[in-house]
């Protein structure tokens, strides 16, 4: 959508770990801006991107996440080399399993689900099943598998917050 509402509401006074799915896209960048402005409240736990290795590298330098994920193994290896050379301890992973694992990890408090299209479905469902706060900017997850996704939200006791402008507007009206 044209507009994006990125709003985090902390559940406690401790720093919350955020996994950002789609960190290099516009919503991911906006999410990282919120984290940058509120380091006392939020920390980038994992930054995930499809293939924008240069942008993800720069984000890792600034936010020093525990994990970084790219979709391709070769790109992930290149990123890992660059991070080691820069002295960072960020662990680099690749693929859908890594996205699901880092969306449902016990250390994660919230997941910004901003991966476009079908690629965002499995990690979003993983976060929901694990009872995370899911900040959903990927409306395709609801279009493709709405009932399945909502079942995962209810089963996991997750909190689902619509972030994309269109479904956030509907949420606010309701």
């Amino acid at each position: 959508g044209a507009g994006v509402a990125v709003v985090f509401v902390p559940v406690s006074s401790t720093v919350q770990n955020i996994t950002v799915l789609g960190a290099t896209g516009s919503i991911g960048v906006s999410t990282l801006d919120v984290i940058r402005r509120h380091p006392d409240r939020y920390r980038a736990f994992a930054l995930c991107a499809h293939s924008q290795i240069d942008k993800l590298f720069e984000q890792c330098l600034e936010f020093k996440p525990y994990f970084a994920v790219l979709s391709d193994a070769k790109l992930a290896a290149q990123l890992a080399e660059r991070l080691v050379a820069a002295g960072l301890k960020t662990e680099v992973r690749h693929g859908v399993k890594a996205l699901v694992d880092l969306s449902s990890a016990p250390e994660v408090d919230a997941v910004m689900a901003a991966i476009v299209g079908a690629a965002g479905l499995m990690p979003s469902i993983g976060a929901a099943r694990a009872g995370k706060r899911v900040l959903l900017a990927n409306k395709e997850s609801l279009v493709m598998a709405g009932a399945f996704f909502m079942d995962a939200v209810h089963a996991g006791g997750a909190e689902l917050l619509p972030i994309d402008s269109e479904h956030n507007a509907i949420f606010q009206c309701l």
Side-chain angles (χ1 to χ4, degrees), residues 34-170:
V34 172
I35 292 171
R36 179 184 298 113
R37 292 171 191 240
H38 301 283
D40 56 321
R41 298 165 109 183
Y42 309 109
R43 185 183 194 300
F45 178 79
L47 300 180
C48 311
H50 176 59
S51 61
Q52 291 191 45
I53 187 172
D54 292 335
K55 194 168 185 177
L56 186 60
F57 174 72
E58 292 298 324
Q59 291 174 336
C60 288
L61 288 178
E62 178 179 356
F63 293 97
K64 297 172 180 50
Y66 296 107
F67 299 94
V69 179
L70 286 159
S71 55
D72 179 74
K74 286 183 183 180
L75 289 177
Q78 291 173 20
L79 178 63
E81 285 180 25
R82 290 175 69 179
L83 292 173
V84 167
L88 265 69
K89 297 184 186 295
T90 300
E91 181 180 325
V92 181
R93 296 185 180 178
H94 70 277
V96 175
K97 182 178 181 335
L99 294 174
V100 174
D101 290 347
L102 296 173
S103 294
S104 58
E107 301 88 350
V108 172
D109 298 294
V111 175
M112 171 54 77
I115 294 177
V116 177
L121 181 61
M122 293 314 296
S124 297
I125 287 175
R129 286 182 178 155
K132 306 301 178 189
R133 173 176 282 162
V134 181
L135 309 166
L136 188 66
N138 172 329
K139 54 186 164 259
E140 292 88 355
S141 293
L142 293 174
V143 171
M144 291 183 302
F148 184 67
F149 185 80
M150 292 310 296
D151 286 347
V153 168
H154 295 300
E159 181 180 6
L160 179 62
L161 297 172
I163 300 301
D164 189 71
S165 58
E166 292 88 355
H167 59 268
N168 186 277
I170 294 168

